[in-house]
Amino acid sequence: GGTTVGAGVLDTTGGGQLADTGDITVLAGATFVAGTADTVGHVLNHGQVQVNAALTVTDLVNAVGANLGRQQV
């Protein structure tokens, strides 16, 4: 199974976690915020991925024009 963020923001801050083997697809104009330490399968990013906690992924594909950021400490 997997999760597609097609619009808006999916934010796991506050304890949300996804399946360890699940894929995440972030479409253009959408945002995924990894706000809780988590392990996921593949991440296909056409939008924005913001990493604010430890995130372990099998692999990450960051498409042209996509944004991958991390929280500054």
Side-chain angles (χ1 to χ4, degrees), residues 32-56:
F32 171 70
V33 179
T36 300
D38 203 355
T39 298
V40 298
H42 307 276
V43 176
L44 176 57
N45 181 26
H46 291 278
Q48 179 164 329
V49 173
Q50 180 68 38
V51 180
N52 296 344
L55 180 66
T56 303

Side-chain angles (χ1 to χ4, degrees), residues 12-23:
T12 63
T13 301
Q17 290 186 316
L18 303 172
D20 287 354
T21 57
D23 298 340

Side-chain angles (χ1 to χ4, degrees), residues 24-35:
I24 301 172
T25 301
V26 182
L27 301 181
T31 302
F32 171 70
V33 179

